[in-house]
Amino acid sequence: MEERILDILEEICEDDVIREDKDLDLFEEGLLDSLGVAELLVAVEDQLGKVIAITEIEKEDVNTVNKIIALVESR
Amino acid sequence: MTMYGEVGFFLLLLVLLLPAFLLGVFEKKRALYILLVSVFFDAAAIGRNPAGIVVFILYVVWETGISQYYQRLYRKQGRNGRTYAAMLILALLPLVISKVTGVFGYTFFQILGISYLTFKSLQVVIEIYDGLIKDMTPFQMAGFLLFFPTVTSGPIDRSRRYLGDLEKELSRAEYLEMAGDGLEKLLLGAVYKFVIAAGCYHFVSVLAEEPGAGPMIGYMYAYGLYLFFDFAGYSLMAIGCSYFLGIRTPENFNRPFQSKDIREFWDRWHISLSHWFRDFLFTRFVMQSARHKWFKNRLTTACVGFMINMTVMGIWHGLTLYYILYGVYHGVLLAATEIRQKRSGFHKKHKKEKWYQVISWAVTMQLVMFGFLLFSGHLL
């Protein structure tokens, strides 16, 4: 599961740095923005079959790779 | 009776907030009282207009019915796209009828607060589809719509947040602190609306009569300031009033005139509206276009999304040419801002420097003020 999430994130962020430092703040580094989050949720739903609604998460819930992995795995 | 607009309202408010205050101080349940006092104020706001009362009741029953029916369907069908679309159309229907009949001069379908209440109704439908709302009762839905402090013009609250506050048990100390903040907001809002906005309006009406470019420019700034202090003042009073009832209605303005670009402006101006549009229109559009690969790249998706988002917002303000132009104008500005921030090397190189920020702020303010001039209808 973790590997598949990393693949999705690598494609959206267009940078493999996300594999190296999983606690990096993705918004501060300019790797992710609100459009990227929307694409992430679509990919998670279509590729992993897990529905996460945009209004149930805050920016702070998805600002690092580790948080995103934990969120998706909790579903 | 005009809400937040006449002495009679404030006298009634003083009397009817007192029981709420006592309930808060003695740590009793507030939900039933809030429902009763809301029914009273909503009826008073509609006034001596039997047709207005009837359509208002019909509206609340209609939207409450949809929320109940859709939750039941959802338990059987789950995420079904067709049912979802049908429920969205049904929830939107009263607003469409109201706006279209309004254009043709009919007034029988003018429902108190319908422009704002529709956002609440749609949010509930969308979040049922998202699986976030599963057991909302008819009383909760009706109470959410009827909540009087925000019924006429917002701020637009979200149902799960609202119901969380409504059922939350506040200690005496917590309630008193909230009521204190509420009083401060009520008073500050009154100063904004009745002192500063009224003062600005004096200049607006004088300058509106003068011909020529100079007075037009003066009108633009005076009208922009009037609009802010009038609506921010109203919003503060509505929020302050909510606090007395133990409901933390979200803020609507956060120093919009210090925005350094248009995107930041929409994060600070009429926030409850722009964030509603962001969450329920813009982001949904981006998700659909990502899923079906409508556009080559993310920048194009964002630009088209901004155009659609703001044009719909313009239309929502009213089916009038200058409101729609106002929406399109902001759509273009947001798209241009996005392109500049993503593509301009100059922007990326200098965005942290003071001089660049000052220029960016000054330009943003002129663009914003020109937008208000469009919105005022005085230009066309």
Side-chain angles (χ1 to χ4, degrees):
Chain A
M1 180 61 85
E2 182 169 334
E3 192 50 38
R4 294 178 72 185
I5 299 168
L6 285 171
D7 286 342
I8 291 171
L9 277 171
E10 193 176 349
E11 205 186 316
I12 292 170
C13 300
E14 294 168 340
D15 201 328
D16 56 13
V17 68
I18 56 139
R19 289 177 187 274
E20 285 149 32
D21 182 357
K22 292 178 188 161
D23 288 312
L24 203 65
D25 189 312
L26 300 171
F27 292 101
E28 272 176 22
E29 297 299 319
L31 291 165
L32 200 62
D33 58 10
S34 48
L35 271 84
V37 174
E39 286 182 16
L40 174 67
L41 298 185
V42 170
V44 167
E45 184 178 339
D46 292 356
Q47 295 175 32
L48 308 177
K50 298 191 179 200
V51 180
I52 301 170
I54 193 91
T55 50
E56 67 180 310
I57 52 170
E58 300 284 336
K59 216 171 177 179
E60 302 80 57
D61 300 330
V62 290
N63 62 351
T64 70
V65 174
N66 275 333
K67 284 188 192 174
I68 293 170
I69 291 171
L71 175 74
V72 176
E73 283 183 342
S74 72
R75 298 307 163 109
Chain B
M1 190 183 71
T2 315
M3 300 271 237
Y4 308 99
E6 57 185 85
V7 178
F9 169 79
F10 287 101
L11 289 176
L12 270 175
L13 192 64
L14 197 66
V15 173
L16 292 176
L17 283 184
L18 192 65
F21 183 74
L22 293 175
L23 288 174
V25 168
F26 292 104
E27 303 177 356
K28 303 287 182 208
K29 287 198 185 309
R30 292 159 281 124
L32 182 64
Y33 185 71
I34 292 176
L35 184 63
L36 292 175
V37 78
S38 289
V39 167
F40 173 80
F41 268 113
D42 294 349
I46 297 168
R48 289 175 208 278
N49 171 9
I53 298 275
V54 170
V55 288
F56 185 72
I57 292 172
L58 280 178
Y59 177 75
V60 173
V61 170
W62 174 260
E63 299 292 354
T64 304
I66 290 173
S67 75
Q68 300 306 305
Y69 182 55
Y70 189 26
Q71 285 181 93
R72 237 170 56 200
L73 280 181
Y74 192 85
R75 279 194 282 273
K76 285 187 215 139
Q77 303 178 341
R79 270 167 90 86
N80 179 312
R82 280 196 184 170
T83 310
Y84 177 45
M87 293 300 145
L88 282 178
I89 291 168
L90 290 177
L92 199 57
L93 196 62
L95 179 73
V96 173
I97 297 175
S98 171
K99 294 255 170 182
V100 172
T101 55
V103 168
F104 292 104
Y106 297 105
T107 55
F108 65 90
F109 216 73
Q110 301 307 303
I111 299 168
L112 178 75
I114 187 170
S115 294
Y116 288 87
L117 295 180
T118 300
F119 288 118
K120 292 182 165 186
S121 306
L122 289 175
Q123 173 252 306
V124 170
V125 169
I126 295 170
E127 291 198 340
I128 291 174
Y129 177 71
D130 282 345
L132 299 177
I133 296 176
K134 292 194 171 86
D135 42 19
M136 193 181 194
T137 67
F139 280 109
Q140 288 177 328
M141 178 65 182
F144 174 54
L145 292 175
L146 292 168
F147 185 62
F148 86 91
T150 61
V151 75
T152 54
S153 312
I156 305 154
D157 208 348
R158 307 281 174 93
S159 64
R160 289 179 296 126
R161 205 213 63 75
Y162 171 82
L163 293 171
D165 274 9
L166 189 68
E167 273 135 42
K168 189 174 171 190
E169 288 178 15
L170 293 169
S171 72
R172 180 176 299 177
E174 283 171 324
Y175 176 76
L176 283 175
E177 197 186 331
M178 219 171 151
D181 289 347
L183 184 63
E184 199 176 303
K185 284 174 189 293
L186 265 170
L187 294 176
L188 183 64
V191 171
Y192 270 27
K193 188 172 164 74
F194 301 117
V195 180
I196 308 179
C200 294
Y201 191 75
H202 170 73
F203 290 99
V204 170
S205 52
V206 169
L207 289 164
E209 302 299 320
E210 304 273 331
M216 180 69 96
I217 293 169
Y219 176 93
M220 177 174 91
Y221 292 110
Y223 181 80
L225 290 175
Y226 159 75
L227 202 60
F228 169 72
F229 284 107
D230 188 65
F231 198 30
Y234 157 79
S235 299
L236 275 171
M237 288 191 284
I239 295 163
C241 194
S242 309
Y243 276 29
F244 266 95
L245 301 170
I247 304 288
R248 213 172 276 280
T249 292
E251 295 291 333
N252 234 2
F253 292 89
N254 176 23
R255 304 179 183 184
F257 295 124
Q258 70 177 48
S259 310
K260 287 188 286 292
D261 61 56
I262 294 291
R263 227 175 139 167
E264 189 184 343
F265 173 74
W266 282 109
D267 229 12
R268 295 174 173 279
W269 176 271
H270 206 172
I271 302 164
S272 68
L273 177 78
S274 62
H275 284 187
W276 193 100
F277 271 96
R278 179 196 66 193
D279 290 346
F280 298 114
L281 185 61
F282 179 78
T283 313
R284 311 273 156 169
F285 170 81
V286 170
M287 290 171 80
Q288 281 305 311
S289 72
R291 175 166 287 140
H292 302 291
K293 312 244 179 314
W294 287 339
F295 304 103
K296 284 200 306 289
N297 60 53
R298 207 179 281 169
L299 187 60
T300 316
T301 310
C303 291
V304 176
F306 284 131
M307 287 304 301
I308 294 173
N309 200 52
M310 300 314 282
T311 305
V312 174
M313 191 192 282
I315 293 170
W316 167 81
H317 274 103
L319 291 173
T320 311
L321 181 63
Y322 50 81
Y323 287 143
I324 299 169
L325 272 179
Y326 171 75
V328 172
Y329 172 77
H330 271 287
V332 170
L333 290 183
L334 281 170
T337 305
E338 185 72 13
I339 293 169
R340 175 174 68 117
Q341 293 183 349
K342 289 277 143 68
R343 288 286 159 84
S344 159
F346 189 78
H347 170 82
K348 285 178 183 164
K349 197 171 155 201
H350 298 291
K351 68 179 176 187
K352 296 228 164 89
E353 291 166 37
K354 197 83 200 159
W355 64 270
Y356 185 82
Q357 293 181 351
V358 170
I359 293 174
S360 186
W361 167 79
V363 172
T364 302
M365 284 308 104
Q366 311 319 309
L367 294 171
V368 161
M369 287 294 178
F370 184 75
F372 292 145
L373 182 61
L374 277 177
F375 185 81
S376 75
H378 188 56
L379 190 64
L380 299 170

